[in-house]
Amino acid sequence: MPKVLKEKILRSEALARSIYRMTVESEYISQTARPGQFVNLKCSDGIEPVLRRPISICRVNREQKTFELVFQVRGRGTELLSRKKAGDSVDILGPLGNPFEISAHYKKIAVVGGGIGIFPLLFILDEYGKHREDNLKAFDLSAFIGFRDKDSIVLKDEFEKACDTCRISTEDGSAGCRGFVTGLLEEELSRKHYDIIYTCGPTAMMKKVAETAGLYKVPCQVSLEQRMGCGIGACLVCACKTKYGDGWEYSHVCKDGPVFWCDRVIFDEQVEDFG
Amino acid sequence: MKGIDLKVSIGALKLKNPVIAASGTFGFGREYSEFIDLNRLGGISVKGLTLAPRQGNKPPRIAETPAGILNSVGLQNPGVHAFLRDELPFLKQYNTAVIANIAGNTIEEYCEMAELLSASDIDAVELNVSCPNVKQGGVSFGNTAAGVSEIVGRVRPCCKKTMIVKLTPNVTDIKEIAAAAEASGADAISLINTLLGMAIDIHRRKPVLANNTGGLSGPAVKPVALRMVYEAANTVKIPVIGMGGITCGEDAVEFLLAGASAVMVGTANFTNPHACMDVLKGIENYLKMYNNHCIYDIIGKLVVNQ
Ligand SMILES: Cc1cc2nc3c(=O)[nH]c(=O)nc-3n(C[C@H](O)[C@H](O)[C@H](O)COP(=O)(O)OP(=O)(O)OC[C@H]3O[C@@H](n4cnc5c(N)ncnc54)[C@H](O)[C@@H]3O)c2cc1C
Ligand SMILES: Cc1cc2nc3c(=O)[nH]c(=O)nc-3n(C[C@H](O)[C@H](O)[C@H](O)COP(=O)(O)O)c2cc1C
Ligand code: FES
């Protein structure tokens, strides 16, 4: 159940050009949040900006009762968030949305992300990592993460530590493989079987990942983004097109998602790409 | 609430206090029941209902503007039948007034919904007259006094419940519109609905909303809303429900002083899921501060400059 919480920021640091990581102390979020869920943050104490900003939960530390958010400065809201410092408090509504389906039935796991979409994937790897400690051989975790160029690479070490295989692509080839991360995934799927694929990132990327997963008959979950109002399913602004019977309907990203099985999502009108 | 009488009357409908959740911002109450005790609300105006289910507009449906938001949800809702079957039983568990906000494309649709709802357990009907009248070239019913007279006059005989008419602010003279609603049989009026607005993404050279335009709400509209509520309250004798940009008790008190018998809280719920409760507490604190024992000690008690 989501709550409105006033929590303390323990750390705030720049990870790369315009990318920040905020570590927040929160007993409630750290104990209850699941991978794929997000929080809705108030960016200031005043009435401006009016809306909260949705940010995915990147990681939790249940022992230390903390969680991490990683975000890119895009506009006024994220700019205000980036200026918050250790010791400041932050008004959080969360945890929100439906998590990724994490199951010990899945042994060979791939996460595929691009840009700011990579952050929630770390939480998935952490969850499987816990299973892996008990039963080391059974699990095989792979991450495929894409960036624009060398300078926009973030959390590389964290990803490498959290999985068995981590492959990176950059659009300009300045690091890792040149091209899109979907290319890496196609190459990998042509020679190796996966039980499940989780993806988050630009719409065009997720669409391609979903198609590729379909081709190889691998179940796949996507995490969608949409502009939000309430974040809890009351205002109906965060619509996304999903299959319904033989037709379609508008579901809502905050309440029905943000995570969907990819074969439910209709990507044709999957709106503006924020990237 | 010891010693302070917060009860207000909206026609035959008695509310335990003047704070109502505004239509379209509170769903059917379920989501916010996780944050606040719905029993403590004066009432809930549910998401705008239509006769048949509606999918609503294409996304993006929301844009943020200075101190406000633009929305173009396009009345996505499960339809009045599904409301009565799936949502009303949930709301009736609570001791709060349930106001069914209705919208239609023809007067016949409004009448049919009013009849259905009159036979149900709801407490009041709120007629959203901001919708385009498809039989009149798509001009909104609420845009002219004649349009308001016609729709209110024709729905009135079909509606056995307290009938609130929700006015659009996108008009030249709100006084004339308010008077038309009263003369045609409204038990109360509520205002303001959203102000028609627009936001443009200059980098893409496109409107932010897929629908191009949308309705403005939130703190940005409060001064306009207040002026309109003041004008309407000074024109009609029926109760006026005020809204537009209310985020705290002080905001609500402004509307009450201007002549509103109750207030609705909309956009503020998004920022603060406890907004309705904070508004209620703020009103009580104000009454205590001035040693007023009854909400009617402040309703319409504005002293205007001569
Ligand atoms: C479920 C979900 C999870 C997200 N997780 C992350 C994350 O982990 N890290 C990260 O950097 N970003 C994430 N985003 C995107 C992030 O919410 C936006 O970048 C942010 O809201 C931009 O706000 P702004 O004020 O800086 O930008 P502005 O462009 O000034 O914002 C204007 C309005 O548009 C909305 N908006 C703009 N871009 C987006 C977007 N991409 N998605 C949704 N709303 C948007 C804002 O919330 C605001 O209401 C997530 C979005 C969603 C929906
Ligand atoms: C997302 C959203 C949806 C709305 N839907 C409806 C609706 O279905 N029917 C209606 O009469 N008003 C609707 N409104 C208008 C509000 O009820 C209210 O009149 C307006 O937002 C002004 O109040 P506020 O500034 O407190 O939000 C909606 C407003 C918003 C923001
Ligand atoms: S943001 Fe309000 S329903 Fe999703």
Side-chain angles (χ1 to χ4, degrees):
Chain A
M1 196 172 99
K3 286 190 179 175
V4 182
L5 304 158
K6 260 244 170 0
E7 305 292 33
K8 198 167 105 191
I9 298 171
L10 292 185
R11 236 182 346 270
S12 172
E13 63 209 301
L15 294 181
R17 186 183 50 201
S18 80
I19 308 270
Y20 291 80
R21 173 164 58 196
M22 192 187 265
T23 308
V24 183
E25 189 170 43
S26 175
E27 162 111 43
Y28 190 67
I29 304 278
S30 65
Q31 306 308 311
T32 60
R34 311 278 305 125
Q37 289 190 301
F38 63 100
V39 292
N40 227 353
L41 298 154
K42 212 165 167 306
C43 303
S44 79
D45 293 333
I47 52 170
E48 253 279 299
V50 169
L51 296 173
R52 290 169 179 268
R53 297 297 190 263
I55 303 289
S56 302
I57 296 164
C58 175
R59 272 191 142 156
V60 301
N61 186 325
R62 300 210 162 95
E63 288 73 45
Q64 290 179 20
K65 301 185 172 56
T66 62
F67 73 96
E68 288 175 14
L69 301 172
V70 181
F71 59 91
Q72 179 170 43
V73 172
R74 285 290 179 84
R76 201 167 124 66
T78 45
E79 159 72 24
L80 285 165
L81 287 177
S82 75
R83 284 198 233 145
K84 290 194 182 279
K85 288 188 210 50
D88 289 352
S89 75
V90 59
D91 181 335
I92 289 169
L93 168 59
L96 299 170
N98 293 305
F100 287 107
E101 187 172 301
I102 308 281
S103 159
H105 296 306
Y106 302 128
K107 307 290 182 204
K108 294 190 162 45
I109 289 119
V111 301
V112 186
I116 60 169
I118 69 168
F119 309 131
L121 303 177
L122 211 44
F123 196 174
I124 301 178
L125 296 174
D126 285 348
E127 283 296 289
Y128 279 108
K130 283 193 321 205
H131 289 304
R132 199 166 52 153
E133 281 162 23
D134 309 331
N135 192 353
L136 200 68
K137 290 255 162 49
F139 289 92
D140 176 0
L141 309 180
S142 304
F144 305 95
I145 50 179
F147 300 93
R148 190 157 355 108
D149 52 31
K150 187 164 154 271
D151 295 333
S152 36
I153 295 181
V154 285
L155 302 179
K156 181 167 178 274
D157 294 348
E158 281 86 344
F159 269 92
E160 282 173 348
K161 268 193 218 121
C163 65
D164 303 292
T165 318
C166 175
R167 297 190 62 193
I168 288 178
S169 70
T170 53
E171 286 167 38
D172 65 355
S174 54
C177 276
R178 183 195 185 99
F180 294 110
V181 70
T182 47
L184 290 180
L185 179 72
E186 283 181 291
E187 189 189 309
E188 187 76 5
L189 283 177
S190 69
R191 54 189 162 88
K192 182 171 166 186
H193 172 76
Y194 282 93
D195 297 330
I196 185 146
I197 297 171
Y198 303 102
T199 184
C200 183
T203 308
M205 184 210 83
M206 289 195 287
K207 185 175 180 213
K208 183 84 181 148
V209 171
E211 283 166 8
T212 312
L215 214 59
Y216 288 92
K217 304 209 162 37
V218 182
C220 171
Q221 287 196 310
V222 301
S223 177
L224 301 183
E225 272 185 21
Q226 187 48 270
R227 287 175 188 253
M228 291 184 176
C230 66
I232 60 172
C235 73
L236 311 185
V237 304
C238 60
C240 64
K241 225 175 176 181
T242 52
K243 284 183 194 146
Y244 181 73
D246 292 334
W248 61 273
E249 65 176 348
Y250 279 131
S251 293
H252 297 94
V253 171
C254 72
K255 181 87 179 207
D256 307 309
V259 175
F260 293 89
W261 286 104
C262 75
D263 50 12
R264 254 199 84 197
V265 178
I266 300 173
F267 285 99
D268 65 346
E269 186 195 271
Q270 216 41 275
V271 301
E272 99 194 273
D273 223 323
F274 298 100
Chain B
M1 265 176 247
K2 289 159 249 82
I4 298 181
D5 182 5
L6 290 169
K7 289 190 290 297
V8 296
S9 299
I10 305 297
L13 178 65
K14 305 277 180 273
L15 303 182
K16 68 173 77 155
N17 69 59
V19 180
I20 306 168
S23 175
T25 65
F26 213 74
F28 299 107
R30 286 182 198 274
E31 292 78 17
Y32 285 99
S33 70
E34 295 188 347
F35 296 94
I36 63 178
D37 179 3
L38 302 185
N39 292 305
R40 293 183 58 203
L41 286 171
I44 297 173
S45 178
V46 303
K47 174 65 205 167
L49 302 167
T50 51
L51 198 51
R54 271 178 68 117
Q55 287 282 18
N57 292 329
K58 265 193 178 185
R61 296 176 173 182
I62 190 166
E64 197 176 54
T65 59
I69 62 168
L70 285 167
N71 89 83
S72 60
V73 172
L75 289 171
Q76 180 170 13
N77 80 95
V80 69
H81 296 279
F83 163 73
L84 290 172
R85 189 186 60 230
D86 305 331
E87 306 294 345
L88 187 57
F90 169 82
L91 283 167
K92 290 312 288 184
Q93 299 170 305
Y94 296 93
N95 175 20
T96 187
V98 177
I99 303 172
N101 181 284
I102 62 170
N105 291 318
T106 62
I107 293 185
E108 292 73 22
E109 284 179 13
Y110 281 96
C111 289
E112 198 176 333
M113 281 189 277
E115 274 168 4
L116 273 167
L117 291 161
S118 292
S120 81
D121 241 2
I122 60 144
D123 298 289
V125 171
E126 184 177 44
L127 230 59
N128 172 1
V129 296
S130 305
C131 311
N133 181 349
V134 291
K135 289 193 180 160
Q136 296 280 321
V139 176
S140 141
F141 295 102
N143 272 19
T144 61
V148 170
S149 295
E150 193 191 358
I151 188 167
V152 177
R154 287 195 40 207
V155 180
R156 179 72 275 186
C158 313
C159 183
K160 307 284 178 283
K161 303 282 181 177
T162 296
M163 188 167 92
I164 304 163
V165 179
K166 183 164 179 180
L167 307 183
T168 165
N170 304 309
V171 296
T172 313
D173 182 2
I174 198 74
K175 301 191 285 295
E176 176 190 293
I177 308 274
E182 179 177 44
S184 313
D187 294 315
I189 54 175
S190 59
L191 70 165
I192 60 172
N193 209 319
T194 55
L195 279 153
L196 200 55
M198 193 172 188
I200 292 173
D201 179 338
I202 58 165
H203 302 293
R204 304 188 319 140
R205 301 191 179 179
K206 289 182 82 173
V208 177
L209 298 175
N211 191 50
N212 297 324
T213 59
L216 184 66
S217 64
V221 309
K222 202 190 86 184
V224 177
L226 205 49
R227 185 267 298 171
M228 288 194 162
V229 166
Y230 165 71
E231 287 183 347
N234 279 284
T235 305
V236 298
K237 296 207 169 56
I238 51 175
V240 173
I241 301 172
M243 80 195 92
I246 295 174
T247 65
C248 60
E250 286 85 346
D251 291 343
V253 169
E254 285 191 70
F255 280 86
L256 295 168
L257 289 170
S261 297
V263 294
M264 288 184 172
V265 178
T267 304
N269 293 304
F270 304 166
T271 323
N272 169 16
H274 301 121
C276 289
M277 289 300 107
D278 291 354
V279 168
L280 179 58
K281 265 180 249 150
I283 295 172
E284 284 183 83
N285 289 343
Y286 175 86
L287 292 171
K288 274 185 209 142
M289 184 159 78
Y290 288 97
N291 215 11
N292 295 124
H293 298 288
C294 175
I295 188 83
Y296 281 97
D297 291 346
I298 65 169
I299 291 172
K301 294 297 156 64
L302 180 71
V303 185
V304 288
N305 305 312
Q306 292 310 313

